[in-house]
Every structure is written in structure tokens, then in C-alpha cells.
Amino acid sequence: MTIDEFILRRRTVVAGAGAVAALTACSTYGKSESAAAPAPKPATAAAPGPNAAAGQPNPNAITNTADVPVGGGVISGDTVVTQPSAGTFVGLSSVCTHAGCKVADVSGGTINCACHGSKFGLDGSVVNGPATQPLAAKNVHVEGDSVVLG
């Protein structure tokens, strides 16, 4: 064997060994990485049912009963919840029947629209125009300490 043949064979062996080492390192890296830290599973949350633990918020609640004053109400999204008398909760649309504005607040025993001054009773009836139609009723009920649509 000549010196040139020896050098060529040596280069081939070294290059081949380097390739094997690189492939081994890559495959070991991938395996040890996944073995050390398994991929997290997607989280799933189950909505609490009617028998959920006390003190847990109801995900279907539009408001808490304690937040609705007797003789007043609160606006929650597209719903007004009033409590005309203790323990009686009424659900109404928050859209004024005069021009479609959202009512602004519940104060002084009325639901008030700031657009044109319409006022509605806590039962949705018209107290002061220009609206001539009552606020649309929405079914609400109490679950624990929450007021829920439906």
C-alpha cells in the first residue's frame, strides 16, 4: 500500500466515523429530550354543574345575587337584572325600545337610557318616553348565589 492509499483510507474511516457519531448524537438528543420532558397534554376544563362546590364561581352566571340591590338592578352585557322586591329577580334586554341604544344605568328605581331620556320600571315597563314599548323580558333564575340566564 502506498502512502496515498493509506491517507485516502484513513480519511474515509474518519469521515465515516464522524457521520456515525453525528447521527448517533442527533438520535440520542431527540430521544433523551422527549424522555426527559414528555409533551404536555392539552388541558380540558369541565364546567361545574349545579352541584359544584360552594364558593366556586358559576361560569354561566350573569351576575351575583348580592350585586343586585333590592329596588335596583345591574347591567351585565345585553341583560339588565333587577330585584324589584327581596328575592325576586327580573331579566330584561338592555336595548332601549325607542332607538335601539343600550340603556346606561339603573338608578333611582328606574332603568335609564341616556340616548333620548327613556326610563323603564324595574319590571321593564315604560315610565317615561319617548319609548312606548317595554324592555323585552329575558328568562333568568337563581342558582346558589348566582343569577343565570334561562
Side-chain angles (χ1 to χ4, degrees), residues 1-13:
M1 175 182 316
T2 67
I3 188 84
D4 290 335
E5 290 174 336
F6 175 77
I7 292 172
L8 182 61
R9 282 188 181 174
R10 180 167 160 67
R11 284 184 184 162
T12 303
V13 169

Side-chain angles (χ1 to χ4, degrees), residues 55-106:
Q56 296 297 316
N58 184 332
N60 301 315
I62 53 175
T63 191
N64 290 322
T65 55
D67 294 337
V68 184
V70 176
V74 296
I75 301 169
S76 179
D78 61 355
T79 304
V80 179
V81 178
T82 65
Q83 188 175 188
S85 60
T88 302
F89 295 88
V90 177
L92 303 162
S93 170
S94 66
V95 178
C96 178
T97 57
H98 171 246
C101 297
K102 184 176 177 181
V103 295
D105 66 0
V106 183

